[in-house]
Amino acid sequence: MLTSVDRLLFVRQVPIFKELRDDFLVRLASIMDELSFPTNHTIFTEGQEGRSLYVVVSGRVSVHIGNQEIVQLEQGTCFGEMSLFDAEPRSASVTTLAPCDCLVLTQQQLYEAIDETPGIAVNIIRLLSRRIRELNQKMNHMKAPVAPPPPPPMYRTAKRR
């Protein structure tokens, strides 16, 4: 468990919260729940309803669709943020790769925070945009065309005189 001061210092370093005022960060850090998960624990499953964002405090998680890993996330990164903004089911599953501690922010807590400090919405939009760009790049690399084989050598016949 993090102390109040450690929690504040940690939350201050999370990219989506970096630009927020200290008075807001104190409030945000105090309302987030802290959860611990063992290795190989599925935090949530693709298709499940979700209304919370998780921030990895320690450990490592795998974000995957079926058996296809999308990305591994470590300390200071967050996941589950899409479910805070839409009513759609989770788009991927998240499973721990090591014992993992997470801070959790619910949709209701976030909406109250955005009403108070709209800057958090901009930070989350940036995070979502960056993740979409990274996914696009990954997909482009996977679909990169294979170079066609070189054309056969041209043989010239020598002219006989």
Side-chain angles (χ1 to χ4, degrees):
M1 292 294 273
L2 296 171
T3 66
S4 298
V5 172
D6 289 338
R7 186 182 283 225
L8 173 61
L9 293 173
F10 178 77
V11 169
R12 182 182 282 149
Q13 298 306 310
V14 175
I16 64 171
F17 304 133
K18 272 189 175 182
E19 296 175 28
L20 301 179
R21 298 185 326 251
D22 280 347
D23 58 332
F24 176 72
L25 285 174
V26 168
R27 181 175 168 271
L28 184 66
S30 70
I31 62 173
M32 296 174 82
D33 291 324
E34 189 173 344
L35 300 176
S36 295
F37 304 102
T39 303
N40 294 322
H41 177 82
T42 300
I43 297 175
F44 57 74
T45 306
E46 178 185 2
Q48 261 182 340
E49 181 180 339
R51 300 262 185 249
S52 53
L53 166 143
Y54 295 77
V55 180
V56 180
V57 175
S58 65
R60 194 171 73 245
V61 299
S62 170
V63 179
H64 55 95
I65 298 174
N67 292 329
Q68 178 67 44
E69 183 173 82
I70 307 301
V71 68
Q72 289 186 17
L73 302 174
E74 295 181 336
Q75 183 180 25
T77 57
C78 63
F79 58 92
E81 66 281 349
M82 291 189 324
S83 71
L84 293 176
F85 295 101
D86 62 25
E88 298 297 316
R90 300 280 190 188
S91 62
S93 300
V94 177
T95 304
T96 59
L97 298 172
C100 194
D101 293 323
C102 294
L103 292 176
V104 182
L105 181 65
T106 66
Q107 184 181 54
Q108 184 63 37
Q109 290 167 329
L110 178 66
Y111 284 0
E112 290 170 6
I114 288 172
D115 283 344
E116 194 175 304
T117 309
I120 193 172
V122 173
N123 288 354
I124 292 173
I125 290 166
R126 284 184 187 137
L127 171 75
L128 293 172
S129 178
R130 184 172 60 247
R131 289 202 175 162
I132 290 169
R133 287 179 192 280
E134 289 169 359
L135 183 59
N136 285 344
Q137 287 177 345
K138 192 173 188 177
M139 289 179 67
N140 284 338
H141 289 335
M142 290 171 54
K143 292 182 178 180
V146 176
M154 305 255 320
Y155 294 102
R156 295 178 73 184
T157 54
K159 291 184 182 178
R160 294 186 178 196
R161 296 182 195 214

